Amino acid sequence: MQDGGSSKGRVDPDFPLTHVPATARQGLWSVSIILLGFTFFTPTMLAGARLATAFPFAELLQIIIFGSLLLAGYVGVLSVIGARTGLTTVLMSRYTLGHYGAKWADLLLGGTQVGWYGVTAGVMGSLVAVALGAESIVVTKMLVILAGVLMGITAYYGYKGMELLSAVSVPLLLIMAVWVTLRAVAEVGGWTGLLAMQPQNSMSLAAAITVIVGTFASGGTQAPNWTRFARTSGIAFWAAVIAFLFGNGAMLFFGAVGSTAYPDSQGDFVNILYEMGLIVWGVIFLVLNLWTTNDNAAYAFGVAGAEFFNVPNKKPFVVAGVAIGTLLAVAGIDQALIPWLVALGVLIPPLGGAIIGDYFFVWRQQLPSLDRVQFRAVRWDAVLAYLLGTEAAQWSSSAGILVPPLVGIVIAALAVPALRAVFLGLGRAQDHRIAEEPIPPEPA
């Protein structure tokens, strides 16, 4: 098994191009706190606020629970695979899509995380400008740039840097969110008043579930980037459930309640705190909330870049991604949140579905180590399975029936073994060569 280093530079302690060894594995607290920091995200509250205008509150609660269960189940399975293999999502995609096919996963996952980084940096810079009362375009853009640079720091220092930030910020964020939610409920006459609120807009059930899954379709697909550090698959699974069922679901719920009680806030607790006159606490909530998510995004595009260029060091790609994401933020990418979520809910989950189907039905949960595999350029059967899943999810989204992300995951997962059987029958299967002994690395 490779050690993650090379003559090209110092060993990266986050093992971006190899399996995480047993000596670096972590417990439930460590993995959970990082994933919770990832899912405690202000734009998720905005998504909850958007949903709150389209459904009666009792029905909205059911939708949030169902959508969060779907997301947590999907991420939980991928997280288990990550812990068992010790691999990032993009490295797992080598087994499924092939050496060059995995480059699509790098672009899709890394690229969308760069976009998320831009959304988050834009939101932070704009809201801090409001808090400071300095809402000129120049000042706002300068704050956006500052936010973009600062939030990349913990990702640059890797897993340990993100764990430290999340351990400090997550408990504080949770206390503040619960307090604001209780204040918001009181504003509308308690839970009875909240349940009596009627929707002002309309949205299909399929679109609502897609928005919920889309909040972390890309991020959740990359959860193995962190759950690969879990000591056991059980730790990985429960960390995913804690973060994506309870953490992400809570953010949607908090946003829905906040927008109902304070319509001008759009469900954003930062704006609510501003309305209460708690400007300092609003800024603290904003900075911690967004930073704990964006350092994960930066980490994700860092490891995707390392895989794409086959360089065992994520740091140069963290820096490059932060620069690109910050430029996108300055350009105003944060104005396209809901269409962005819907697109992610269609494009990303089928990739995770293909990896799941390949791991369970083709490899039968027995992936050989990276240093024993000579990867084919492209596994076309798995690529076609991903495309079928994407097309099915797009059809479901356009028709407004079923749940598009779930459709994409299931179709892609089932299509992998089905298309492999077809390719085997035609003599066109593109299997990787598995060696008995480790294959010497290619010269640098």
Side-chain angles (χ1 to χ4, degrees), residues 321-415:
V322 165
I324 296 170
T326 302
L327 289 175
L328 290 173
V330 171
I333 191 176
D334 57 298
Q335 301 302 311
L337 178 62
I338 294 299
W340 180 258
L341 292 180
V342 172
L344 294 186
V346 168
L347 286 171
I348 304 291
L351 176 60
I355 291 173
I356 291 170
D358 191 49
Y359 178 77
F360 285 102
F361 301 127
V362 176
W363 292 101
R364 300 191 183 278
Q365 306 181 54
Q366 298 295 324
L367 285 188
S369 62
L370 284 164
D371 57 2
R372 289 179 49 221
V373 184
Q374 184 174 350
F375 290 97
R376 292 282 189 177
V378 179
R379 271 188 57 197
W380 288 108
D381 50 345
V383 170
L384 289 175
Y386 164 73
L387 293 175
L388 278 176
T390 303
E391 182 59 31
Q394 179 59 49
W395 167 81
S396 177
S397 178
S398 299
I401 59 176
L402 302 176
V403 181
L406 179 59
V407 170
I409 292 167
V410 172
I411 294 298
L414 296 179

Side-chain angles (χ1 to χ4, degrees), residues 183-417:
R183 287 284 300 268
V185 170
E187 286 287 327
V188 295
W191 297 106
T192 301
L194 193 64
L195 293 171
M197 302 294 289
Q198 294 299 312
Q200 301 171 340
N201 299 305
S202 62
M203 179 185 292
S204 70
L205 178 61
I209 299 298
T210 302
V211 166
I212 292 173
V213 176
T215 56
F216 272 95
S218 176
T221 301
Q222 297 179 86
N225 293 347
W226 303 281
T227 62
R228 66 196 171 109
F229 286 91
R231 279 199 291 266
T232 68
S233 57
I235 287 174
F237 178 79
W238 287 112
V241 169
I242 290 169
F244 289 89
L245 175 57
F246 297 107
N248 193 64
M251 290 296 105
L252 291 163
F253 173 76
F254 293 154
V257 173
S259 68
T260 303
Y262 301 94
D264 292 339
S265 72
Q266 297 182 319
D268 187 340
F269 276 24
V270 177
N271 285 335
I272 294 174
L273 288 166
Y274 289 173
E275 287 187 30
M276 292 178 177
L278 303 173
I279 305 299
V280 173
W281 283 110
V283 171
I284 291 173
F285 186 94
L286 170 70
V287 171
L288 293 180
N289 184 289
L290 297 183
W291 196 331
T292 55
T293 296
N294 241 22
D295 62 355
N296 287 51
Y299 184 94
F301 57 65
V303 296
E307 199 289 326
F308 189 90
F309 292 100
N310 202 36
V311 174
N313 187 352
K314 69 183 181 306
K315 291 182 178 180
F317 306 105
V318 170
V319 172
V322 165
I324 296 170
T326 302
L327 289 175
L328 290 173
V330 171
I333 191 176
D334 57 298
Q335 301 302 311
L337 178 62
I338 294 299
W340 180 258
L341 292 180
V342 172
L344 294 186
V346 168
L347 286 171
I348 304 291
L351 176 60
I355 291 173
I356 291 170
D358 191 49
Y359 178 77
F360 285 102
F361 301 127
V362 176
W363 292 101
R364 300 191 183 278
Q365 306 181 54
Q366 298 295 324
L367 285 188
S369 62
L370 284 164
D371 57 2
R372 289 179 49 221
V373 184
Q374 184 174 350
F375 290 97
R376 292 282 189 177
V378 179
R379 271 188 57 197
W380 288 108
D381 50 345
V383 170
L384 289 175
Y386 164 73
L387 293 175
L388 278 176
T390 303
E391 182 59 31
Q394 179 59 49
W395 167 81
S396 177
S397 178
S398 299
I401 59 176
L402 302 176
V403 181
L406 179 59
V407 170
I409 292 167
V410 172
I411 294 298
L414 296 179
V416 167

Side-chain angles (χ1 to χ4, degrees), residues 133-210:
E135 300 180 52
S136 72
I137 294 177
V138 173
V139 172
T140 298
K141 298 302 183 185
M142 289 178 62
L143 288 171
V144 167
I145 293 171
L146 178 62
V149 172
L150 287 177
M151 287 188 289
I153 293 175
T154 45
Y156 185 84
Y157 287 103
Y159 185 97
K160 288 299 182 182
M162 293 185 295
E163 180 186 17
L164 178 61
L165 175 64
S166 295
V168 173
S169 62
V170 167
L172 179 60
L173 289 171
L174 185 58
I175 292 170
M176 293 175 65
V178 170
W179 178 73
V180 173
T181 299
L182 293 176
R183 287 284 300 268
V185 170
E187 286 287 327
V188 295
W191 297 106
T192 301
L194 193 64
L195 293 171
M197 302 294 289
Q198 294 299 312
Q200 301 171 340
N201 299 305
S202 62
M203 179 185 292
S204 70
L205 178 61
I209 299 298
T210 302

Side-chain angles (χ1 to χ4, degrees), residues 18-78:
T18 189
H19 308 264
V20 175
T23 54
R25 297 300 182 110
Q26 306 292 325
L28 182 61
W29 163 261
S30 175
V31 181
S32 297
I33 204 69
I34 285 183
L35 292 183
L36 277 171
F38 196 20
T39 57
F40 276 28
F41 190 35
T42 289
T44 303
M45 292 183 175
L46 302 182
R50 173 68 180 86
L51 295 173
T53 67
F55 299 94
F57 205 81
E59 183 179 350
L60 175 63
L61 290 179
Q62 298 176 42
I63 292 171
I64 289 176
I65 292 171
F66 178 75
S68 298
L69 279 170
L70 173 60
L71 181 62
Y74 164 62
V75 177
V77 173
L78 280 174

